[in-house]
Amino acid sequence: MVVEARRLDLTFQTADGPVQALSDVSLDIRAGDFVSFIGPSGCGKTTFLRVIAGLEEATGGSVSVNGMTPDEARRARAYGYVFQAAGLYPWRTIGRNVKLPLEIMGFDRAEQDRRMRDVLRLVELEGFERKYPWQLSGGMQQRASIARALAFDAALLLMDEPFGALDEIVRDRLNEQLLDLWARTGKTICFVTHSIPEAVYLSTRIVVMSPRPGRIADVIDSPLPRERPLDIRDSAAFIEVAHRVREGLRAGMGDDV
Amino acid sequence: MSDPPLAAPGAGTGRSGRVGLLVWRISGAAGPVLAVILALLAIWYAATVWLNAQWVLDQAARADRMAGFGDILRGTLNQERPVLPAPHQVAAELWNTVALQPVTSRRSLVWHAWVTLSATLTGFGIGTVLGIALAIGIVHNRAMDMSVMPWAIASQTIPILAIAPMIIVVLNSVGVQGLLPKAIISAYLSFFPVVVGMVTGLRSPDAAQLDLMRTYSASRAQTLWKLRFPASLPYLFASLKVGVAASLVGAIVGELPTGAVRGLGARLLSGSYYGQTVQIWAALLMAAFCAALLVGLIGLIQRLTLGRMGLAR
C-alpha cells in the first residue's frame, strides 16, 4: 500500500468555532493506482491530500505513506505535489524552476541538467527551458509545474485541481498527456478535481466525498481499461460510471442544494 | 506586489526596440520637464526681487530718494548678501567652486561633496546591511518581530537634530572621530526604510509558494535564499531609494554639530555664520544633485538586476 488511512479525523479550530474538515476517512491506495477525489467545496478532498503530504496533521485516526508517517515520508521525498496554481517562480526560467527541488535536495549539476531535460521532454516542453514563466500559456505553465513535481522521481504524485483554472480544450489535452505520462512512469497519482468527466476519464478509482463533515460517500473502482482514447467518454461504460459518481455526489449533498 | 509582474509592455521587443522606446520617452518628456524648470526659475527670480526689495528701499530712503522699478530690479538681483540669491548668482558660485577649483582644494564644492558622499555611502552600506539583517530576524523569529519593530519605529520618532550631537559627543569621548560618527548618523536614518521594505518583501511569498518549499522539506535557510530573498528584491530597491536619500540627510546633519570644516554640512554652517546665502544655496543645490545621482544610480542597478531576473517591467 502506498497510502493507508484509518478512521482519519481532522478538526480545524477557527474563529467561528471548530470545523470538522475530515470525519472517519478510511482509504487504501495501491501502488500504480490513479485515484481521483471528487466532491463539492468543503468536502475535505484538498485537506485529505494535504494530510497525505504532511502539510496538515490529522487530529484523530492514523495515516501512513509508504509505511511511514506523512512527516517522515515528506522528509524522505516520497511525493511530488502539484498545486492548483502553477506557482512557478517568476524570477526563474522554466529550466531553473524545474531544477528548484533538485537544488534543494542537493543533486549535482550534471544530474540536475539531465533530469530537467528528461522531465521537460516528458511534459512536451523541450526547448522551453530558457523561457520565463510569463512567456508561456497557462497550460504550458501547469505542465512545467508537473515537470517540477516529477523532477526528483518520487513514486507518488499528489495533484490538487491542477487543471481547474484552464479551459476545456486545454484541459482535455492535458488529461490525455497525463494518462500517457502515468502509463509510461507507473506512478501512483492522487488527483483532486471538481469535474466528473475528468475524474472518470483519468481514474482507476474514484473517491466521492461529501461535505459537513468531510467524509467519503462512495468509492468506485472503474471498469474502464487503462488504455483510454478521448472518445471513450462516449462509451456506455463511461456514462455509467459518471452516472454513479453523480448519484454519489447528490446523495452526499443531502438537502444542502 | 502579491502578483508577480507578467509580460512587461515592450518586453518582447529586442534591445534596439527598447532603446527606441527610451529615446521616445525622453524626447516626449523633454517639453514638460523644460516647462517646469522655466516656471521654477521664473518664480525664483520673482521671489528674489520681492524678498530683496526691502534692502533697496531702505538704502533709497536713507539717501532720501525714491527707488523706481528699474532701481529695485538692478538692486535686488546682484546683492552680496541677499535674503534670497538670484539663480544666476548661485550658478556663478557653483561655477567658481566646481569648475574653477581643483577638486583637491578646500575651496572646491566637489571636494566637500565627496567628503559628505563618502560618509553617506558608508552609512548607507551599514544601514542597508543592518536593515536586511533585522528584517531577516523579524521574519524568522517571533520574539524579534514583537521586540525589534517597536524600537525601530521609536528610533525614527526622535528628531535627528537632537540625537546627532549626542552620537558625535559619545563617540568622540571614546576616540571615534571623522567619517564614522557621520556614517553612523546616516545609517541611523537609512536602516529604517530598509527594515520596513524588507519585512514586507520577505513576507510577500504566498501560502502556496511556502507550501511548495515545505513539500521539498526545504530548510529555513533554503526557503530564505531561494524564495523569500528573490521575492523581496523589488521591495528592497524601493526602500533603498528612500534610504539613500535619508543617508545623505543624515551625513549632512552629522556635519553640523561638530562645527566641521569639511563637507556640505560645513558649507551650510559657515554660510549661515557669515550670512553667505549664495554659498548656502550652492551647497543645497549640490546636495540635491548628489541625492538625484544616488537615487538614479540605485534605479539603474534596480533595472539591471530585475532585468536579469526576468522581473523588469
Side-chain angles (χ1 to χ4, degrees):
Chain A
M1 286 303 156
V2 178
V3 177
E4 277 187 74
R6 291 283 170 277
R7 308 193 59 94
L8 214 57
D9 280 304
L10 199 158
T11 308
F12 288 116
Q13 299 300 334
T14 71
D16 299 333
V19 170
Q20 195 159 24
L22 291 174
S23 164
D24 197 19
V25 170
S26 297
L27 187 72
D28 289 337
I29 296 172
R30 293 179 297 265
D33 268 358
F34 194 125
V35 182
S36 282
F37 298 86
I38 188 166
S41 337
C43 72
K45 51 195 193 303
T46 294
T47 306
F48 185 53
L49 209 64
R50 289 174 65 85
V51 169
I52 297 172
L55 295 175
E56 308 283 356
E57 209 175 330
T59 45
S62 71
V63 61
S64 76
V65 179
N66 292 339
M68 297 175 272
T69 68
D71 228 35
E72 289 165 350
R74 175 161 61 85
R75 268 191 267 281
R77 280 131 193 185
Y79 66 84
Y81 202 110
V82 179
F83 291 86
Q84 183 164 10
L88 301 170
Y89 291 179
W91 56 85
R92 284 178 169 246
T93 59
I94 297 304
R96 293 198 57 229
N97 263 293
V98 171
K99 283 189 204 170
L100 175 71
L102 304 176
E103 288 172 16
I104 288 169
M105 295 172 189
F107 288 82
D108 67 52
R109 271 173 189 281
E111 185 67 9
Q112 285 180 20
D113 277 330
R114 193 183 65 74
R115 283 174 179 255
M116 182 263 289
R117 265 177 247 292
D118 283 355
V119 290
L120 281 183
R121 191 176 316 122
L122 214 51
V123 299
E124 299 178 22
L125 279 177
E126 292 156 291
F128 285 92
E129 61 256 37
R130 286 176 184 281
K131 297 274 189 234
Y132 280 98
W134 57 265
Q135 293 171 300
L136 270 59
S137 68
M140 289 164 97
Q141 288 187 24
Q142 198 50 274
R143 267 149 59 197
S145 93
I146 293 171
R148 183 177 61 184
L150 291 170
F152 48 101
D153 208 22
L156 175 61
L157 196 56
L158 305 175
M159 306 179 85
D160 184 7
E161 290 188 53
F163 309 139
L166 304 174
D167 66 61
E168 191 87 21
I169 299 161
V170 176
R171 183 190 273 231
D172 277 356
R173 172 105 184 87
L174 290 183
N175 281 344
E176 252 187 308
Q177 287 179 324
L178 181 60
L179 268 189
D180 184 48
L181 191 147
W182 172 62
R184 273 188 289 160
T185 56
K187 298 208 182 290
T188 310
I189 299 182
C190 297
F191 188 94
V192 168
T193 180
H194 268 121
S195 153
I196 296 174
E198 188 171 67
V200 178
Y201 176 65
L202 291 172
S203 323
T204 55
R205 296 175 84 202
I206 301 156
V207 178
V208 182
M209 299 185 74
S210 61
R212 283 174 294 275
R215 62 192 185 278
I216 294 177
D218 195 6
V219 179
I220 303 163
D221 283 295
S222 173
L224 301 177
R226 288 203 161 211
E227 191 81 6
R228 297 174 187 182
L230 263 182
D231 58 16
I232 201 169
R233 296 185 295 186
D234 301 322
S235 71
F238 186 98
I239 291 162
E240 203 185 306
V241 178
H243 179 73
R244 201 176 143 190
V245 173
R246 197 169 292 115
E247 288 297 307
L249 286 172
R250 189 170 304 157
M253 288 301 279
D255 301 327
D256 273 7
V257 276
Chain B
M1 194 199 71
S2 63
D3 244 15
L6 288 174
T13 57
R15 189 161 289 272
S16 65
R18 229 173 276 164
V19 169
L21 204 65
L22 197 68
V23 169
W24 178 81
R25 269 194 199 146
I26 289 171
S27 63
V33 168
L34 206 64
V36 168
I37 289 176
L38 287 176
L40 284 176
L41 281 177
I43 294 169
W44 190 345
Y45 269 112
T48 306
V49 172
W50 183 57
L51 288 169
N52 298 337
Q54 193 58 49
W55 184 81
V56 179
L57 293 176
D58 289 349
Q59 290 291 96
R62 216 165 291 158
D64 211 17
R65 60 183 171 78
M66 294 293 284
F69 184 70
D71 299 323
I72 291 177
L73 213 55
R74 265 191 305 280
T76 50
L77 294 183
N78 281 303
Q79 292 177 7
E80 202 173 315
R81 290 179 186 180
V83 177
L84 180 67
H88 65 263
Q89 289 178 286
V90 177
E93 169 77 8
L94 279 172
W95 177 255
N96 287 334
T97 52
V98 171
L100 299 184
Q101 303 287 342
V103 290
T104 51
S105 155
R106 289 197 162 212
R107 290 188 182 166
S108 166
L109 201 54
V110 177
W111 182 78
H112 286 286
W114 170 245
V115 169
T116 303
L117 267 183
S118 55
T120 302
L121 290 174
T122 311
F124 179 59
I126 297 170
T128 302
V129 171
L130 182 71
I132 292 175
L134 283 178
I136 289 172
I138 287 170
V139 168
H140 284 88
N141 185 311
R142 207 176 139 65
M144 268 190 87
D145 186 13
M146 309 284 278
S147 59
V148 173
M149 213 46 176
W151 285 106
I153 293 167
S155 77
Q156 301 302 302
T157 63
I158 302 169
I160 189 66
L161 274 170
I163 201 157
M166 298 300 114
I167 293 174
I168 303 268
V169 167
V170 167
L171 287 177
N172 193 39
S173 75
V174 294
V176 182
Q177 291 174 339
L179 178 133
L180 202 57
K182 290 195 282 177
I184 286 172
I185 293 164
S186 164
Y188 183 90
L189 284 189
S190 65
F191 88 97
F192 185 68
V194 177
V195 171
V196 173
M198 275 306 272
V199 167
T200 312
L202 291 172
R203 285 188 175 145
S204 66
D206 58 31
Q209 287 177 312
L210 291 168
D211 275 346
L212 182 70
M213 294 308 255
R214 273 182 75 199
T215 69
Y216 302 149
S217 303
S219 67
R220 288 178 127 200
Q222 285 171 324
T223 305
L224 172 67
W225 191 240
K226 293 192 186 296
L227 172 58
R228 289 187 188 275
F229 192 68
S232 73
L233 282 182
Y235 297 84
L236 175 63
F237 279 113
S239 304
L240 289 184
K241 284 183 188 170
V242 180
V244 79
S247 275
L248 184 64
V249 171
I252 291 173
V253 169
E255 284 165 349
L256 295 179
T258 50
V261 289
R262 300 142 50 103
L264 292 176
R267 296 288 282 188
L268 293 176
L269 200 65
S270 71
S272 66
Y273 275 162
Y274 303 114
Q276 296 287 346
T277 45
V278 180
Q279 179 186 324
I280 294 177
W281 280 86
L284 285 180
L285 279 188
M286 192 55 154
F289 172 76
C290 287
L293 189 77
L294 291 170
V295 172
L297 207 63
I298 288 174
L300 185 71
I301 297 171
Q302 174 183 28
R303 265 213 301 286
L304 292 177
T305 309
L306 298 188
R308 264 191 70 105
M309 287 171 70
L311 292 178
R313 288 168 185 275

